[in-house]
Amino acid sequence: MEKAVCNHGFFMMAPNVWDPKYKSLTRPLTLSNSSSASVTISHPPTRSFLVIQVPSINNVSRVDEELILKQVGRMLRISAEDERDVTEFQQLHEDAKKNGFGRIFRSPFLFEDMVKSILLCNMTWKRTLGMASSLCILQSKLADGTLRPISQTNKKRKRVLKETKESSKKEAGGNFPSAKELASLDKALINKHCKLGYRANWIVKLAKMVDSGTLNLEEMERRDMTAEQVSEKLTKMSGFGPFARATVLICIGYYHLVPSDTETLRLFRENYETKLGKLSELSPLYYKSASGCSHMKQLKED
């Protein structure tokens, strides 16, 4: 499981919490009533199966159990189709099979992958982590009512957010916001809480397309569309340049394009883990150091 999770930066981004000591992943997952519950996934060395714990629920309903398993399956790529992809890849690359590599970690839902792909572009890793965390804090405030969407009549009939007195005191992270939650907000409000800059406009547009059904993510997930058709659709959307498109395609299951930028080239030149150690053993306190820009800045400050 460690290699299925800790293989690229998404596992470090909120609301994912990887425990390097117990080799477990904890994060909120969505339930059938649209609320969230914290779920911990682990693979004890003495077991031949995953252990999935939901501490906050005594008796998980059959419907919620199936939904949780579906989300875990997507994150860890546990399906017949994923197994076929891994087998074919490992047949081409013996070292991958020897080292247990082949599954690329992703989020419970494609929408989260798409938003995180936008957060990765033209931004330091430290800020990317901060933006993802801020979005989860925003979601927690929406969920517990300290931030409440209310309808106000004005010329543009915009939906705005009312903030209660307690909201400024709460900073606990929640789940990653859904398309429905983000579609109900405007970019100014999101920037007030999350400081996403111009990305806020792109993300709100994406959320509205998904929430209205204009963009059918299930169709993309089922691979009813070819990789070229998906790429063409993404190209027409704001925020999806070559790097973000390639990242989304990999999250769907198309591996013919490799997301690459200046940081990728740097990693090719350096043995990354000789500096920081294994990423799966890195404390979350040092995640911001897991990039060239942050690492060089730290060296200068030291």
Side-chain angles (χ1 to χ4, degrees):
M1 178 175 150
E2 176 182 351
K3 291 175 181 177
V5 174
C6 306
N7 48 56
H8 73 120
F10 273 19
F11 89 91
M12 300 182 189
M13 296 174 74
N16 299 311
V17 179
W18 173 256
D19 188 322
K21 182 178 180 181
Y22 296 103
K23 309 297 183 189
S24 64
L25 177 70
T26 299
R27 65 158 291 154
L29 294 180
T30 303
L31 304 179
S32 56
N33 63 358
S34 297
S35 67
S36 301
S38 181
V39 174
T40 297
I41 312 152
S42 60
H43 187 188
T46 57
R47 306 285 179 87
S48 60
F49 50 84
L50 294 175
V51 175
I52 301 173
Q53 299 172 296
V54 191
S56 62
I57 304 177
N58 291 327
N59 295 300
V60 179
S61 71
R62 178 59 61 89
V63 174
D64 283 336
E65 181 181 329
E66 290 178 358
L67 190 53
I68 288 170
L69 289 175
K70 183 178 180 180
Q71 291 171 79
V72 171
R74 188 182 189 280
M75 287 190 291
L76 303 182
R77 297 188 188 259
I78 304 171
S79 71
E81 194 169 36
D82 290 316
E83 195 62 38
R84 183 202 65 203
D85 289 342
V86 171
T87 300
E88 290 178 358
F89 174 71
Q90 292 182 344
Q91 286 173 348
L92 292 172
H93 302 278
E94 252 182 67
D95 285 345
K97 184 175 183 178
K98 189 187 303 180
N99 294 312
F101 179 76
R103 288 177 168 80
I104 306 297
F105 182 72
R106 56 186 179 178
S107 307
F109 298 103
L110 180 57
F111 177 73
E112 181 177 333
D113 288 328
M114 295 178 76
V115 173
K116 286 182 173 178
S117 297
I118 291 174
L119 299 183
L120 285 170
C121 296
N122 301 317
M123 181 53 61
T124 65
W125 180 234
K126 180 180 178 181
R127 282 288 295 120
T128 293
L129 292 175
M131 289 187 291
S133 180
S134 294
L135 281 168
C136 293
I137 291 171
L138 176 65
Q139 193 281 333
S140 73
K141 292 178 178 179
L142 287 168
D144 66 18
T146 53
L147 284 176
R148 298 195 301 271
I150 59 174
S151 296
Q152 288 190 347
T153 304
N154 59 20
K155 291 181 181 179
K156 295 185 178 179
R157 293 183 178 274
K158 290 183 178 178
R159 291 191 74 184
V160 300
L161 222 61
K162 182 178 180 181
E163 185 168 1
T164 64
K165 293 179 181 179
E166 303 87 23
S167 64
S168 60
K169 299 177 182 178
K170 291 202 171 189
E171 291 297 327
N175 202 347
F176 200 84
S178 66
K180 186 176 185 65
E181 288 171 320
L182 289 179
S184 70
L185 312 177
D186 63 29
K187 62 180 181 179
L189 187 285
I190 293 175
N191 267 333
K192 176 184 175 183
H193 289 270
C194 305
K195 308 265 190 303
L196 305 187
Y198 58 83
R199 295 167 189 78
N201 189 40
W202 295 346
I203 290 169
V204 169
K205 284 183 178 179
L206 172 64
K208 288 182 176 179
M209 290 176 67
V210 174
D211 187 48
S212 67
T214 306
L215 181 64
N216 189 334
L217 298 189
E218 289 186 4
E219 181 185 41
M220 292 166 64
E221 285 269 62
R222 291 195 303 266
R223 302 196 202 181
D224 292 346
M225 305 166 64
T226 65
E228 290 71 25
Q229 288 173 325
V230 173
S231 184
E232 184 179 352
K233 187 178 283 286
L234 291 173
T235 301
K236 296 175 181 177
M237 298 165 54
S238 301
F240 293 96
F243 184 89
R245 286 201 306 274
T247 303
V248 172
L249 286 170
I250 284 179
C251 288
I252 293 173
Y254 298 115
Y255 303 97
H256 62 295
L257 294 176
V258 178
S260 60
D261 57 8
T262 53
E263 179 70 359
T264 311
L265 297 176
R266 187 188 70 81
L267 294 177
F268 280 148
R269 291 193 298 266
E270 301 177 11
N271 187 344
Y272 194 64
E273 290 192 340
T274 59
K275 290 186 176 181
L276 295 175
K278 288 181 67 176
L279 294 184
S280 62
E281 297 174 359
L282 192 65
S283 165
L285 295 174
Y286 300 103
Y287 281 174
K288 66 180 181 181
S289 299
S291 78
C293 295
S294 297
H295 182 66
M296 294 306 296
K297 183 178 179 182
Q298 174 115 20
L299 287 177
K300 289 177 181 178
E301 290 175 351
D302 292 344

